Amino acid sequence: MTQHHTGRHSSSEPERLSDTGAQWWRDAVIYQIYPRSFADGNGDGMGDLAGVRARLPHLAELGVDAVWLSPFYASPQADAGYDVADYRTIDPMFGAIEDAEQLLLDAHELGLRVIVDVVPNHASEQHEWFQRALLEGPGSPCRERFHFRAGLGEHGEEPPNDWESVFGGPAWTRSKNPDGTHGEWYLHLFAPEQPDFNWDSPAVRDEFRTVLRFWLDKGVDGFRVDVAHGLVKAAGLPNMGHGEQLRLLGKQRLPFFDQDGVHEIYRSWRQVLEEYDSDRIAVAEAWTPNAERTALYLRQDELHQAFNFHYLDTPWDAGALRQVIDESLETTRPVAAPSTWVLSNHDVVRHRTRFGGLDRARAATLLMLALPGSAYVYQGEELGLPEVTELPDEVRQDPSFFKQDGQDGLRDGCRVPLPWSTQGPSYGFGSAGSWLPQPPEWGALSVAAQTGDPGSTLELYRAALRIRREHPDLGAGDAVRWLDASEGVLAFRRGALLCVANTTDGPARLPVDPGRLLLASGSYDGGDVLPGDTTAWWTAE
């Protein structure tokens, strides 16, 4: 097996970015920050960029390579900032442009790269272009930048086609003319407050290349591309032809998702990224029917990475995990892109809860971090946080919670603000309360409570990321060598590194003499039997 290692630092001290190797993203561990819920710097109960800046040393000590920030742009917050009114302005709830600039400087000083969200599929209804489109009426240049259509029926009272919103209901909302009469319909694959851009418009394409350059000039190291699969719609906007509620990860291609025309857009974006001296990247949030379709986004002249939602969607089952690992590696190898691995994010149930307990969550983490490629860690994973499942309806803020027939609407459970200290009104999140209530057990799961406890999940992550940096056979690569193992057990080698994951609830005999133990997710400390729901690493050296 050929291993490519990028020269990442092996000491516990942070390094300046100028000292790190090229193509850092091939084996990077990237930490997702959901700014509302990470840390509150001004005591208003809402996370902000000042709070992020203050807590960056935690991430440097944790050992991640980069941070990815969910949207902080000016927004009415109809969908937690994914409805952007101005792509070049910071929303006052998060701070000002100077806070973003200082955050970039602070992160780089600590050896952390910064990836920011870009939201190109849709804007806010408050975006200047959309407001002008409503005012100027049918046929105007601004209307061509969105999908406006006349309705069906005798008086245009029916939507133009049968497309559905991810958040439930029709994907069309009827506009009002300036005189108050009913107007054309506009397309929104998500909330009505999020009109979709029309990427057939040259003005839209030019605008987003300019937005990319604006943030690249400020020093960002890359972009996470929201709904990267959704920009291009099939010509003529044909009907879906079925009544099944839209899901992001379906088994069929839809007329508004994963259309081949998106690849021309990303080839032009790659050219923008390559105008800059250092190694800037773009990461696709692309929900596609299969891994082969995802790999198309990763060709050498397109994007650098794509989220591996097929891995994220896989249960804690050895057979299913091996299949998706093989498929992921096999499909990214021909395009020479790294596979990515992710267990949780701001849109899904935290994997501790999803897998059925902390032991499995810890074991899944060591398995993920042993795989070749890049890994993503969602804030709070390193604390072993569970999903908060008992939030009262009156405090929920997920927009799809208030819709019918859409997503489950329970994404608030993974967005509850982080605990930093054992006590206080918000367990150190800020000087006041938090925008979503934290459970009473949050203090015991805080950074302060877990720091220095060798059995804590936080110290497990710190140890795993340190070993991952130091061991030459962890990190980048494109293959694993599977070993024969008993049912429910995954075992593979990467050079001198052996990883065994027991996904059963009972003990399992190791398939080979393992060598020197590096780290275990559970109570195992040696011998030829690995406890249930445990992953361990060994080295032959």
Side-chain angles (χ1 to χ4, degrees), residues 125-145:
E125 63 176 350
Q126 298 302 315
H127 192 284
E128 178 189 5
W129 283 5
F130 191 71
Q131 289 297 304
R132 285 170 52 193
L134 293 176
L135 183 64
E136 294 172 2
S140 69
C142 272
R143 288 221 170 183
E144 293 176 0
R145 300 171 187 177

Side-chain angles (χ1 to χ4, degrees), residues 372-399:
S374 178
Y376 283 77
V377 173
Y378 177 51
Q379 63 179 41
E381 276 187 44
E382 77 276 22
L383 305 178
L385 295 185
E387 186 81 357
V388 180
T389 58
E390 297 182 356
L391 289 170
D393 290 355
E394 58 268 22
V395 306
R396 291 191 178 276
Q397 300 192 34
D398 184 347

Side-chain angles (χ1 to χ4, degrees), residues 417-438:
L418 297 192
W420 294 92
S421 60
T422 58
Q423 297 178 336
S426 62
Y427 302 107
F429 171 67
S431 59
S434 62
W435 67 282
L436 285 172
Q438 299 158 301

